[in-house]
Amino acid sequence: MNQSQNVTDYPNNNTIFMVWKFKDQTDIKSSFEKLCSLVNNLNNSFTIRIPNGRSSCVMGVGYDAWIKLGLPKPLPKELVNFESIRGAKHTAKATEGDLHFHLRGQNTAVCFDMALAISNVIKSAAECLEEIHGFRYWDGRSIIGFVDGTENPIGEERQFFAVVGEEDAAYKGGSYLFVQKYFHNMKNWGNLSTEDQEKVIGRSKMNDIEMEDDVKPVNSHSALMAITDENGEDLKIVRDNMPFGNPAKGEVGTYFISYASKFSTTRRMLENMFIGNPPGNYDRILDFSTAETGTLFFVPALDLLDQYSAESDS
């Protein structure tokens, strides 16, 4: 079948991101089998209950969990434990995580009910390391005021760049999922003029138009995220970033989430950001945004979830 999970869905209004880590000496296989059934059930149920709600549940599996669960070998070609990327000034941290859930819905209640159902199945076998409630901010902007995800592929390109193809036939339909939780220093960001903020991003703030190459700073975010292959063809990822925050605590941020057919594409972008291209020419946005987490997962195709489902006849 090789049908992918809902990795190419477009961003929705509400999201819950959850990262779980298995406890030692627990029956993780039984819980995982129940989760495989539940993911399919949640997607089917909310499609019927709220036909136009664009609800979805996506589950990713980390390297260590893949081994512990006895999932197929050899593993997906680029599934590894993410290793920190250290630049001269900033670091992309590597943090733990066995399972990741990406829950989307126009209605907050949809995301809440999916998160509750997942938690009820897994909480005896794992602990939740992260639960982030994201929301759509105005016209798809991040908290820092710029439209997020403008360079996302659209149409058929989303499938091409986000989903594994024949290059790893055993895992066709899967996807490499990478996540980071960023906190923004809004005081320092707010001290910049709009013009200086635009130079950091490489786009105009009001109408989201990209600067011309001869004007755009080489350390701007958009400049460093533009990468190509050996033939000069653009390489892209599918982002579904969402803002989150707790204003009373002065905490606001962006949950960065990318789906890609190859993790090497995402890693190159991260190296450009944190090390710089050339080295030292790091992404200026990092002077105002700090990555507190960084974890890689693989999102299996639906046939693999069906194979391990508690409802499977195999």
Side-chain angles (χ1 to χ4, degrees):
M1 180 172 59
N2 299 128
Q3 181 181 349
S4 64
Q5 294 189 53
N6 302 77
V7 300
T8 58
D9 285 5
Y10 284 88
N12 213 323
N13 291 339
N14 299 281
T15 306
I16 295 180
F17 305 102
M18 304 175 79
V19 179
W20 292 79
K21 179 176 174 57
F22 288 126
K23 300 174 183 177
D24 293 333
Q25 299 177 338
T26 56
D27 184 9
I28 63 174
K29 289 187 177 181
S30 175
S31 295
F32 182 71
E33 289 170 356
K34 292 176 183 178
L35 287 171
C36 289
S37 301
L38 181 60
V39 168
N40 280 324
N41 183 277
L42 291 173
N43 283 304
N44 293 337
S45 175
F46 281 110
T47 297
I48 299 299
R49 291 172 58 189
I50 310 176
N52 299 317
R54 297 188 294 118
S55 308
S56 63
C57 169
V58 176
M59 179 173 68
V61 183
Y63 174 85
D64 288 340
W66 195 281
I67 301 299
K68 292 176 185 176
L69 290 165
L71 297 182
K73 292 182 179 181
L75 278 64
K77 290 182 178 179
E78 296 191 9
L79 178 58
V80 295
N81 281 323
F82 176 65
E83 295 183 358
S84 298
I85 299 173
R86 298 184 180 276
K89 187 174 182 180
H90 301 288
T91 298
K93 297 179 181 179
T95 52
E96 294 182 314
D98 286 328
L99 298 177
H100 185 282
F101 295 93
H102 181 191
L103 315 176
R104 285 174 282 203
Q106 287 185 337
N107 190 327
T108 306
V110 171
C111 298
F112 179 84
D113 277 1
M114 288 194 287
L116 183 61
I118 290 166
S119 299
N120 286 338
V121 168
I122 195 177
K123 62 185 179 183
S124 63
E127 61 175 324
C128 187
L129 303 182
E130 294 283 354
E131 181 179 321
I132 304 295
H133 293 235
F135 59 93
R136 181 177 174 84
Y137 187 60
W138 298 112
D139 51 337
R141 295 176 185 265
S142 69
I143 295 294
I144 63 174
F146 286 77
V147 176
D148 200 353
T150 300
E151 292 301 315
N152 262 350
I154 59 176
E156 294 181 355
E157 281 196 339
R158 292 178 74 80
Q159 181 80 11
F160 177 78
F161 286 113
V163 178
V164 175
E166 294 296 341
E167 69 276 6
D168 193 0
Y171 295 103
K172 184 178 179 180
S175 184
Y176 292 93
L177 162 64
F178 181 74
V179 297
Q180 291 176 303
K181 180 178 71 174
Y182 283 88
F183 284 114
H184 305 311
N185 187 323
M186 297 302 292
K187 179 179 180 181
N188 289 351
W189 179 252
N191 286 336
L192 295 182
S193 66
T194 297
E195 181 181 3
D196 285 339
Q197 290 180 358
E198 291 174 338
K199 290 177 180 178
V200 172
I201 303 300
R203 309 185 72 88
S204 60
K205 189 171 185 178
M206 178 177 290
N207 55 16
D208 191 40
I209 294 176
E210 189 169 355
M211 293 179 176
E212 297 291 339
D213 288 343
D214 59 348
V215 176
K216 184 194 306 180
V218 295
N219 66 346
S220 66
H221 183 66
S222 61
L224 289 168
M225 291 302 94
I227 63 173
T228 60
D229 63 16
E230 62 275 10
N231 299 316
E233 298 292 330
D234 289 339
L235 293 174
K236 297 185 179 184
I237 58 178
V238 171
R239 299 171 177 85
D240 204 346
N241 306 346
M242 293 293 273
F244 68 90
N246 188 326
K249 291 184 177 180
E251 295 178 350
V252 294
T254 297
Y255 197 85
F256 170 75
I257 175 168
S258 72
Y259 293 106
S261 59
K262 297 179 181 180
F263 176 61
S264 51
T265 299
T266 309
R267 187 167 182 92
R268 274 188 61 190
M269 292 180 176
L270 293 169
E271 288 170 349
N272 276 9
M273 283 186 70
F274 287 85
I275 297 174
N277 185 19
N281 183 55
Y282 67 86
D283 192 332
R284 183 81 199 291
I285 191 64
L286 296 177
D287 288 338
F288 308 93
S289 303
T290 302
E292 294 294 340
T293 67
T295 320
L296 175 64
F297 303 88
F298 188 78
V299 178
L302 290 176
D303 56 343
L304 187 58
L305 292 191
D306 288 340
Q307 179 181 340
Y308 285 89
S309 168
E311 298 174 0
S312 173
D313 293 329
S314 60

